[in-house]
Amino acid sequence: MQQSVIKYFLDLNCIPNSNVMNRRKFLKGSALLSGILTLNPWDLFAGQHNVQTKKREAKNIIFMISDGMSSGTLAMADLYSRNILGHGGNWMNLYRENKISRALMDTASASSIVTDSAAASSSFGGGFRVKNGVLNIGSNGEHYLPVWQKFMKAGKKTGCVTTVTITHATPAGFCINSESRNAEPEIAEMYANIGFDVMMGGGDEFFNPLKRQDKKDVYDLYKKKGYEVLKTKSDLKNVKKDTKILGVFNTGALPYSIDRQNTPALQTIPTLAEMTSSAISQMKDHKEGFVLQVEGGKVDWAAHANDVAALLHDQIAFEEALKVVMDFAEKDGNTLVIVTTDHGNANPGTIYGPEATEKFNSIAEYKYTNEFILNSIHADFNIQQVKDWIYETNTIRLTDDEARYMLNFYSGLEKQEAGLYNYKKLPFKAYSEIQKKHNSVGWISMDHSGDYVELAMFGPGSELLQPFVKNTDLHYLMLKAASVE
């Protein structure tokens, strides 16, 4: 009789028997149930509760970071996926399907309410908040042991894959200590000396003796330590099992996803999903398990540039890697998946208007990033050439005044724009303001924000997640989930 009554009220409130979180919400909020049943409700559910909360140890951990992802980026990627690609975004689908635990996270650093990627990654990696620009070193010189080194000591394989340089702040924050995030040539050597198992991304200039100032052959250092060095997507497909891997697929960061899709010469460079799949395959059979960081690093760069095509397609590419991870984790059953960002950036979002939907959907006509488009304009262009180029790449019809305004940046008549990753002083902000009238997407800035950000978890250890956490909490949650001291 008890079982029938419970099932009736669970069905009435559309709550699955297996879902502890929904059951708790149901018990708290259902006056109908509390009014009819005289038994203690926790007594009714005691047997089921014990089964659900039985602790499972996470053998593997995959920590996914869409760097610089504001909540608006997640929403717009899902909207684009549904409107244009015909399916929901892979991240938002986890929410729709109720597969994960979810929280908000405070991302501040030791020096500011608005963090940079070095301090943010150090919070995850070292378990302490440090000043912006620093990697796992405290204000008084304390060296906090990075979490991937802790897992190495516990016998697990370790790896990082990213769409920016593998020596960049986010992977480095899980791996090493440094007074400066900009010490990428030194970080390249640190990785080899510590001995991480799989490291993949860009950054040839930090390994190649022809590009390093000190002329050191850091690739040779890795080879002497038994690493297989990969340079192309085909190398990735032919990698030997049970070997350590260094994959460096480009000088600087890897190309933006939409530029890769439309530029055959860039298609020898693997996607984040392909690197992630290879990293998992390389480490998954290790008897002590593995830990892997996956970073969509150019989501952040796109936000800094207010570059909507770059932003949406790289967020979607990150979520393709998320699907690879979830497919593995659901089948494996012993993998904790953490999905989040390190901070917001530029807070993009859709803007109200009578044609907002149609304008937003027009982004599907964009063939390249703004970085590619603006790099292709030169001071010797005339107004008509600018108009033709913008229409060819974005199907936007500029007015003569708009084309003249854009051209003035190249001839020095308009003040050149700065920006964190805008080395060529391209007019990113000016062009995004023109695009806004056509795509209904606005931006509040070109830099990081201090928003509370999305955090989702799946698998053993996800039951430890509280509704609101500090970024440092994830360091200790990972160790507890895997029973590592």
Side-chain angles (χ1 to χ4, degrees):
M1 177 64 181
Q2 267 186 15
Q3 296 291 334
S4 299
V5 172
I6 293 167
K7 184 177 187 304
Y8 171 76
F9 283 106
L10 289 171
D11 291 343
L12 183 66
N13 287 268
C14 303
I15 297 175
N17 281 310
S18 63
N19 193 314
V20 175
M21 289 183 66
N22 279 349
R23 183 176 67 247
R24 186 173 296 146
K25 185 185 296 182
F26 166 64
L27 287 171
K28 184 177 179 181
S30 176
L32 183 60
L33 181 63
S34 61
I36 292 176
L37 297 179
T38 57
L39 293 172
N40 183 332
W42 290 114
D43 290 340
L44 290 176
F45 289 116
Q48 185 180 356
H49 182 74
N50 288 339
V51 171
Q52 287 299 315
T53 59
K54 184 179 179 181
K55 186 180 186 303
R56 285 188 300 137
E57 186 176 294
K59 180 180 179 182
N60 312 310
I61 298 174
I62 303 177
F63 196 120
M64 304 196 66
I65 302 173
S66 178
D67 197 301
M69 189 201 77
S70 295
S71 59
T73 300
L74 179 61
M76 289 194 300
D78 181 64
L79 182 62
Y80 186 94
S81 294
R82 288 187 286 120
N83 287 9
I84 306 303
L85 305 180
H87 59 78
N90 291 328
W91 187 330
M92 288 301 300
N93 281 348
L94 296 178
Y95 294 169
R96 293 188 182 97
E97 296 163 11
N98 198 24
K99 284 187 174 181
I100 48 81
S101 301
R102 182 187 178 199
L104 287 177
M105 180 172 64
D106 176 354
T107 63
S109 73
S111 56
S112 176
I113 58 172
V114 183
T115 190
D116 81 328
S117 291
S121 187
S122 296
S123 293
F124 305 141
F128 292 86
R129 286 182 167 171
V130 299
K131 292 180 179 179
N132 289 346
V134 174
L135 293 163
N136 295 310
I137 296 181
S139 300
N140 298 313
E142 306 92 335
H143 280 55
Y144 305 120
L145 187 64
V147 69
W148 266 203
Q149 291 191 44
K150 291 182 179 181
F151 282 119
M152 284 181 72
K153 291 177 185 295
K156 295 187 186 296
K157 288 196 171 183
T158 53
C160 296
V161 297
T162 180
T163 54
V164 294
T165 57
I166 189 58
T167 48
H168 214 258
T170 300
F174 278 58
C175 297
I176 59 94
N177 304 85
S178 177
E179 291 282 3
S180 174
R181 61 176 288 173
N182 297 322
E184 292 188 72
E186 292 76 19
I187 291 169
E189 296 181 65
M190 289 182 199
Y191 288 167
N193 292 327
I194 295 168
F196 301 107
D197 294 279
V198 177
M199 305 298 277
M200 290 191 281
D204 180 64
E205 66 270 35
F206 304 119
F207 300 85
N208 191 330
L210 301 177
K211 298 176 183 177
R212 284 178 60 110
Q213 282 191 337
D214 61 10
K215 306 303 179 185
K216 280 187 182 178
D217 188 344
V218 180
Y219 285 126
D220 189 57
L221 172 62
Y222 278 82
K223 289 174 183 176
K224 287 178 178 175
K225 290 180 175 289
Y227 282 79
E228 188 172 352
V229 176
L230 314 178
K231 294 293 187 71
T232 67
K233 186 193 302 190
S234 59
D235 291 342
L236 197 62
K237 293 177 180 177
N238 299 313
V239 67
K240 297 174 185 175
K241 279 283 188 182
D242 300 319
T243 58
K244 292 186 176 183
I245 294 172
L246 172 67
V248 181
F249 303 106
N250 205 31
T251 297
L254 304 190
Y256 284 111
S257 295
I258 188 172
D259 290 339
R260 180 197 285 107
Q261 293 164 17
N262 294 305
T263 310
L266 298 178
Q267 290 168 12
T268 60
I269 298 172
T271 65
L272 185 61
E274 289 166 341
M275 291 189 292
T276 300
S277 178
S278 180
I280 292 172
S281 178
Q282 195 69 8
M283 298 192 292
K284 67 183 176 64
D285 296 327
H286 184 57
K287 66 178 182 178
E288 300 298 332
F290 70 90
V291 291
L292 174 67
Q293 183 206 87
V294 178
E295 184 201 16
K298 292 198 77 172
V299 172
D300 182 62
W301 293 27
H304 278 299
N306 288 186
D307 190 335
V308 69
L311 184 84
L312 294 184
H313 286 274
D314 263 57
Q315 178 64 28
I316 290 168
F318 173 82
E319 296 186 23
E320 288 170 355
L322 173 59
K323 184 178 187 305
V324 169
V325 167
M326 287 299 299
D327 287 348
F328 167 76
E330 289 185 283
K331 183 178 179 181
D332 173 70
N334 297 306
T335 301
L336 170 62
V337 179
I338 302 171
V339 193
T340 190
T341 180
D342 51 351
H343 52 76
N345 190 341
N347 288 40
T350 49
I351 300 168
Y352 179 77
E355 298 177 334
T357 303
E358 292 80 3
K359 287 182 175 182
F360 178 81
N361 290 348
S362 73
I363 298 170
E365 304 297 325
Y366 294 8
K367 295 179 181 178
Y368 299 100
T369 62
N370 292 355
E371 180 178 276
F372 179 90
I373 293 167
L374 298 178
N375 261 317
S376 301
I377 297 173
H378 302 289
D380 59 357
F381 272 36
N382 60 40
I383 288 174
Q384 191 58 48
Q385 285 176 309
V386 174
K387 291 174 68 174
D388 290 346
W389 177 238
I390 296 300
Y391 186 77
E392 180 183 341
T393 54
N394 276 178
T395 63
I396 290 175
R397 296 188 185 277
L398 297 186
T399 66
D400 285 354
D401 285 344
E402 287 172 332
R404 186 178 296 106
Y405 174 60
M406 292 297 300
L407 200 51
N408 284 346
F409 284 93
Y410 295 86
S411 60
L413 296 177
E414 293 287 346
K415 183 180 178 182
Q416 289 187 323
E417 291 187 4
L420 188 57
Y421 298 109
N422 188 11
Y423 310 121
K424 296 183 179 179
K425 310 298 182 185
L426 298 172
F428 285 129
K429 185 66 176 176
Y431 187 51
S432 73
E433 288 296 320
I434 291 173
Q435 284 180 315
K436 181 169 69 174
K437 295 181 288 186
H438 300 271
N439 61 28
S440 288
V441 174
W443 311 76
I444 69 161
S445 76
M446 300 183 79
D447 218 329
H448 296 181
S449 56
D451 315 45
Y452 299 145
V453 299
E454 288 286 337
L455 169 61
M457 291 189 189
F458 171 86
S462 60
E463 72 280 357
L464 300 171
L465 183 62
Q466 298 299 309
F468 182 74
V469 300
K470 291 172 61 176
N471 44 15
T472 50
D473 294 338
L474 299 193
H475 177 95
Y476 305 100
L477 186 149
M478 285 189 283
L479 295 173
K480 185 174 182 180
S483 297
V484 171
E485 292 296 330

